[in-house]
Amino acid sequence: MNISKRNKRVRKLVKTLNKERKRQAKKIDILCNDFVEAQRNFIKRLETIAFAADFYETIIGTTELSSLLNKTGKIIQTRIPDSNVVFFIKTGQLLESHLLENTNQDTDRQNNFLDSFTPEVIDNINKANKICTLQELLPLGLHLNPQILARLSAATVPLGQNGQTAGFVLIYLPSQEEISLQQINSIAAVTSGLSQAIQSCKAHLNSPK
């Protein structure tokens, strides 16, 4: 075999080896990315489980509604720092608001925000029976000054079980950074249990002493 043919075979072999090396490297990258994503999802699930465990540990034995809601609100604030929490609980045909004891209402912006929750808006949110971001609340009748809208982040999470609405919880904070989907999902994970606890508190209140 002359030198020219041998060099061609060597170049062909090197080219084939390089292609195979790149193909294997791509497979490894895909596997690594999948592994990293799986680890992220696992950590998120652990965070949700830990939040739920803290919630149930905190409210166990609570029989007074105001105490239950204040405890729950404080747990939510640990998950979403600097947030304000308002519960809208269905009582008969009405939805009564329950503000967390340490809700920060020092600014006109926040006061105006809560004033925007008219009975019609509250009823529409309850009937929607779904998680809503601030932008998704606008079609439900929420009217806000654009300056307020630009400086607030908010979300509502429905309360209820088996498709029956029992109200919702409003979380908001003076921040341009959106409340994350993971934070909202953590709260949504305990709303069924919270709804049962609310009903138990109401039953305890109405039970014969």
Side-chain angles (χ1 to χ4, degrees), residues 126-200:
N126 187 57
K127 287 178 179 177
N129 195 29
K130 66 175 184 177
I131 293 173
C132 293
T133 63
L134 183 56
Q135 291 296 329
E136 291 171 327
L137 292 174
L138 301 180
L140 298 178
L142 186 68
H143 297 291
L144 288 174
N145 182 299
Q147 292 182 337
I148 297 176
L149 187 63
R151 297 178 183 179
L152 278 173
S153 178
T156 59
V157 181
L159 299 173
Q161 48 188 328
N162 301 322
Q164 299 297 316
T165 61
F168 61 92
V169 55
L170 165 68
I171 307 105
Y172 68 98
L173 64 161
S175 172
Q176 293 178 318
E177 183 177 348
E178 291 289 333
I179 299 172
S180 74
L181 179 61
Q182 176 61 21
Q183 290 172 321
I184 295 173
N185 286 340
S186 293
I187 297 166
V190 302
T191 51
S192 178
L194 175 59
S195 298
Q196 292 181 39
I198 290 171
Q199 294 304 316
S200 295

Side-chain angles (χ1 to χ4, degrees), residues 3-153:
I3 295 176
S4 176
K5 287 184 178 181
R6 185 175 64 183
N7 287 342
K8 284 182 180 180
R9 290 189 63 181
V10 170
R11 284 196 298 271
K12 185 177 181 180
L13 179 61
V14 170
K15 187 176 181 180
T16 300
L17 289 173
N18 284 336
K19 283 184 178 180
E20 181 63 20
R21 180 181 58 80
K22 290 178 180 179
R23 189 173 69 85
Q24 292 296 332
K26 187 176 181 180
K27 283 184 176 181
I28 292 172
D29 286 342
I30 292 172
L31 288 172
C32 288
N33 290 336
D34 288 345
F35 177 75
V36 170
E37 184 62 25
Q39 290 285 31
R40 285 199 189 106
N41 291 334
F42 178 68
I43 291 171
K44 288 178 180 178
R45 287 195 294 272
L46 285 181
E47 289 175 351
T48 298
I49 292 170
F51 176 81
D54 287 343
F55 166 75
Y56 289 114
E57 182 179 358
T58 300
I59 70 165
I60 189 168
T62 304
T63 57
E64 186 182 356
L65 182 59
S66 61
S67 178
L68 171 67
L69 297 181
N70 275 309
K71 287 179 179 180
T72 302
K74 289 174 183 177
I75 296 171
I76 292 174
Q77 288 179 325
T78 64
R79 189 71 181 90
I80 307 176
D82 302 320
S83 64
N84 292 312
V85 182
V86 185
F87 296 93
F88 292 87
I89 306 300
K90 192 172 184 179
T91 303
Q93 298 301 314
L94 301 176
L95 284 156
E96 297 181 351
S97 63
H98 298 259
L99 276 69
L100 190 62
E101 287 179 350
N102 63 339
T103 294
N104 177 14
Q105 298 187 71
D106 294 335
T107 67
D108 290 339
R109 180 172 68 242
Q110 293 182 39
N111 282 328
N112 290 337
F113 176 61
L114 289 181
D115 289 343
S116 300
F117 283 79
T118 63
E120 180 183 0
V121 171
I122 293 170
D123 187 53
N124 288 340
I125 296 171
N126 187 57
K127 287 178 179 177
N129 195 29
K130 66 175 184 177
I131 293 173
C132 293
T133 63
L134 183 56
Q135 291 296 329
E136 291 171 327
L137 292 174
L138 301 180
L140 298 178
L142 186 68
H143 297 291
L144 288 174
N145 182 299
Q147 292 182 337
I148 297 176
L149 187 63
R151 297 178 183 179
L152 278 173
S153 178

